Structure formats: structure tokens, C-alpha cells
Amino acid sequence: MKNSFRIFATCDMGDSINLLRSRGYDVEVYPKPEAPPKSLILEKVRSGIDGLLTTLRDPIDAEVFAAGAGTLKVVSQIAVGFDNINRADANKYKVPFTHTADVLTDATAEFAFLLMGSVARRMWNAERLLRENQWGFWHPYLPFLGDEVAGKTIAIIGTGRIGLSMIRKCSGFDMNILCYDPAYQNHDFVQGIQEIKDLIFARGLVKEKSWIKYVELTEALAQADFVSVHVPLLREGESKMPTYHLFNETTLRTMKPTAYLINTSRGPVVDEQALAKALREKWIAGAALDVYEKEPLAADSPLRDPAIEDRCRLYPHFASAARITRLSTDPTKGMAGRCVQGLIDVLECNYGGDITKMPYVVNKEAFGG
Ligand code: NAD
């Protein structure tokens, strides 16, 4: 079947774009690696495109939906987080938008897991020592030591898809696990993990018993050696339990001075001024971050303070940046494939044209779902 839909993609998505073209779609791809200016997105939407392929860098709000009133049929985002898309505005204009949940779950959790090693085992500091030719001797404790990850206690903040995947990885390292999530608690999953922990202890495969349980936030923060954040960005008014600045002076002070904070969720979940202070004044031992309040990270960010660089690992929103995860055209494996499939579902009226049945559409409530 040939289609004549017009699409604007705010960035290239590899072979998945060709897949659309092979189906007859007229696809224009913004050629630069940076995000296009909003004025260009508005211009394209106003010109009557049927679908918009977006990234988390694009602000998709009432202005965009108004510009596409009567013509824009779908916004398809290559990310699971959609805090850049105003859901209320999408609903008002009855435009379905899709995201790429699941296919990046394990890659993101794996990255969060590896960040614990990078900051706690001081991987960056150790490699820099060698590269700067400062490795003069082997010594029991000089020039510095790191902290082990295995067997420690971790708090998982947000037990959705990525939080649960992180739990599986942490249980492989015999960690004790404190779970916190005020909106969704998967007790069956937690019980399954506990059964595995009990089994490997009973079979003599580990020396110490380890455990997992749901607790309140304060208990999770006060007891954990690592705190890993897996929540969506929810601002005031968007949720009864907003996550904006969930990590602030108060919550950071609740953590142990020996604990590490890992954030692969969204930057504004952490108050960066407060975190920089926490690191400078050693309220916590360290932090590893993948996301920032403003991206890319500003040259004058307090997180770049040389006084805290040995305790603060910084990565460029990289957690899902693995080859298959990002670019596979298979919608069950890759973000690009799933993003494009979400667009196809809506435009080609898959699922009998019933938007509430389309698996990648987020705002089903606007269509009676
Ligand atoms: P999800 O919706 O499956 O899970 C999020 C969980 O957070 C839910 O269980 C929800 O109940 C919980 N939650 C909501 N408010 C909370 C609060 N106040 N306190 C604690 N928990 C709360 O989402 P997911 O697929 O696991 O993704 C989580 C987030 O990770 C995404 O929204 C996105 O922002 C981020 N992410 C980042 C990257 C990256 O590249 N760094 C990659 C993928 C996802």
C-alpha cells in the first residue's frame, strides 16, 4: 500500500526514516544534529504536515497543536519520557502522541547500574591517573580507594519499567533493595526477587542473605548506600506527587554521608545547586548524573566545580545510547523503529483505527481510553 502522508522529523532516525519513505511517505528530516528552532517546527506544522517525529529536545505545546489544528494527526517521540510534550494541550486538540517505552528499559537500567561503578569505584579518577602518567606505585590505599557496590543497600526511587529492570541487575550483585514508589508498587515482582535471593542463599551460592522491600522515601534515603532515581519529570500541577526537585537540600541531607546519588531520569528531578552544595560540603559521598536541569550542561554549571570533580561523574544524556536500543528498525527492539511504528499505527488506522488500542499512544484518555 502506498501512502501520501507528509512528515517532518526534527532529527534523523537512521533506516527507520527509509522505512517510511518505502511506504510512500514524504519525509523531511531536519538535517542538523542540534534541535531545530521552535519557529521552524511551527512553520512545518502550519504547512499542513500529517505527522511530526520529535525528540525530547522539542517543546511541543499549545502553540504547536494550534498551528496543526485540522491537519496534524500524530506526534511521535523517540523517547519514553514526554515531559517536553504538553499532554493537556495534546488532549485539547485531540492529537495522539506516542513514545518508545520498553525498548530502552534495559539499556537505561544497565547504564544506571554502571554509573554506580564509575563513581563509587572511581574508574574515571583511576584512568586519569594513569593517562596523566601519575601512576607511580602499587600501594594498599594510596592515592585513593573506592567503595564496593556488591552487597550494599540501594534505594530504587520509582519502580516502573526502568526501576524494576535496575532491581534485577542489582539483585545479581547481591544488593539489599529498598523500593519507593507512591503510585505503583509491584509486590509480585518484589516477592519474586526475594524468592530468588532466598534460593541462592539456601543453595549456598552466597554467604549472606539479602532482601528487598517497599519503604517510605525517608527510610529509603536514610538507609541506602546508593540511591538510583527512575521517575518521570512531573511538575507542580501535573501530579499529586510531583518529582520536580524531589532531590533538594532536605532529601539530600537525609542521605548518608557515605552514599551516592545516581540520576538517569530527568535533570529537574534534582536541584543542581543543592546537589553541588551537598558534594562540596560532603553531605553525600558522590553523584553520577546523565541528565541535567538544562541540557546541554552549561559551561558555568556548579556541577563542573573542580572542587567536586573527583566525586561527580557527568554523562551527556547517554543512558539509552546503545546501538540496537537507539536505531533498530524493529519496534520490539529499537527506539527509532518503535517511534516510526507509533506514527504508522495512527496514520494508517491500525487496530481498526481505535487509538485507545494502539500500544505506543500515551494520551489514550483523549480518545475515550
Ligand atoms: P515508568 O512510567 O514505567 O516508571 C516511572 C515510575 O515512577 C512509576 O512507577 C511511577 O509511579 C513512579 N513515580 C511517579 N511519581 C513518583 C514520585 N513522586 N516518587 C517516586 N516514584 C514516582 O517510566 P520508565 O519507563 O521507568 O522511565 C522513567 C523515566 O526515566 C522516564 O520518564 C524518563 O524521564 C527517564 N529516562 C531517561 C533516559 C535517559 O536516557 N537518561 C532513558 C529512558 C528513560
Side-chain angles (χ1 to χ4, degrees):
M1 185 179 75
K2 282 285 170 193
N3 304 284
S4 55
F5 299 113
R6 275 183 59 222
I7 310 298
F8 179 62
T10 65
C11 70
D12 188 26
M13 296 184 189
D15 283 346
S16 297
I17 297 286
N18 296 333
L19 196 139
L20 282 179
R21 289 187 174 134
S22 70
R23 295 172 82 85
Y25 285 54
D26 173 4
V27 189
E28 183 186 354
V29 177
Y30 184 65
K32 296 186 186 167
E34 300 86 16
K38 189 173 176 201
S39 56
L40 184 69
I41 297 178
L42 285 170
E43 184 190 313
K44 297 296 172 190
V45 171
R46 244 180 242 119
S47 77
I49 56 167
D50 300 285
L52 194 55
L53 294 171
T54 58
T55 74
L56 48 85
R57 315 171 302 178
D58 308 315
I60 307 298
D61 55 14
E63 219 184 346
V64 175
F65 292 115
T71 48
L72 184 66
K73 296 171 189 68
V74 59
V75 174
S76 230
Q77 164 130 314
I78 184 163
V80 58
F82 48 82
D83 40 281
N84 59 307
I85 299 176
N86 189 311
R87 187 171 187 152
D89 293 337
N91 290 355
K92 186 173 154 207
Y93 287 88
K94 284 217 173 299
V95 176
F97 69 89
T98 73
H99 72 157
T100 61
D102 304 312
V103 286
L104 42 47
T105 294
D106 282 328
T108 305
E110 173 178 278
F111 198 79
F113 187 84
L114 296 173
L115 288 193
M116 289 200 288
S118 88
V119 63
R121 296 300 304 271
R122 309 194 70 172
M123 311 276 258
W124 181 80
N125 320 60
E127 182 170 352
R128 191 169 66 162
L129 185 91
L130 182 145
R131 289 191 178 278
E132 292 180 354
N133 217 14
Q134 300 299 313
W135 178 29
F137 44 80
W138 187 99
H139 185 278
Y141 60 83
L142 292 175
F144 48 72
L145 295 175
D147 292 314
E148 298 84 351
V149 174
K152 294 287 182 62
T153 297
I154 184 166
I156 303 289
I157 309 302
T159 58
R161 290 169 288 247
I162 298 171
L164 294 184
S165 174
M166 180 70 168
I167 288 173
R168 280 201 307 275
K169 287 155 184 61
C170 294
S171 61
F173 266 55
D174 306 319
M175 298 183 85
N176 294 310
I177 303 166
L178 296 159
C179 307
Y180 169 71
D181 192 317
Y184 171 74
Q185 305 204 338
N186 194 331
H187 292 284
D188 198 42
F189 181 96
V190 161
Q191 192 189 327
I193 294 287
Q194 187 62 60
E195 284 168 15
I196 292 168
K197 285 176 170 296
D198 292 346
L199 179 66
I200 59 172
F201 179 72
R203 293 282 303 270
L205 304 180
V206 288
K207 286 201 194 81
E208 281 183 37
K209 253 189 174 176
S210 63
W211 45 262
I212 177 168
K213 59 183 175 183
Y214 271 103
V215 293
E216 286 307 316
L217 181 62
T218 309
E219 187 180 344
L221 299 183
Q223 293 187 8
D225 302 303
F226 294 89
V227 174
S228 191
V229 192
H230 303 285
V231 299
L233 170 59
L234 298 166
R235 296 180 189 274
E236 209 62 56
E238 291 177 348
S239 162
K240 283 196 198 102
M241 301 290 292
T243 58
Y244 178 79
H245 281 192
L246 182 62
F247 285 83
N248 51 45
E249 287 218 9
T250 309
T251 42
L252 288 167
R253 280 187 191 276
T254 309
M255 290 172 61
K256 297 200 285 195
T258 49
Y260 295 91
L261 176 71
I262 312 297
N263 186 19
T264 55
S265 66
R266 281 291 181 268
V269 172
V270 176
D271 175 346
E272 288 175 2
Q273 294 286 346
L275 176 61
K277 191 169 168 194
L279 292 171
R280 267 195 319 273
E281 298 182 6
K282 303 197 175 167
W283 312 345
I284 64 173
L289 309 172
D290 187 44
V291 287
Y292 306 93
E293 292 206 57
K294 196 168 177 322
E295 296 180 3
L297 187 65
D300 62 353
S301 163
L303 295 171
R304 294 184 190 269
D305 181 352
I308 57 171
E309 75 175 14
D310 61 332
R311 280 158 278 156
C312 185
R313 301 280 55 79
L314 304 172
Y315 294 91
H317 205 139
F318 210 61
S320 68
R323 245 179 269 279
I324 292 170
T325 300
R326 280 280 174 88
L327 285 185
S328 171
T329 55
D330 179 345
T332 67
K333 294 199 170 77
M335 295 163 68
R338 184 161 286 214
C339 178
V340 157
Q341 187 61 49
L343 180 112
I344 291 174
D345 283 350
V346 176
L347 292 182
E348 299 186 20
C349 295
N350 290 343
Y351 302 90
D354 183 348
I355 286 171
T356 66
K357 294 208 171 84
M358 297 180 189
Y360 313 143
V361 170
V362 176
N363 57 335
K364 293 190 171 80
E365 70 277 9
F367 307 90

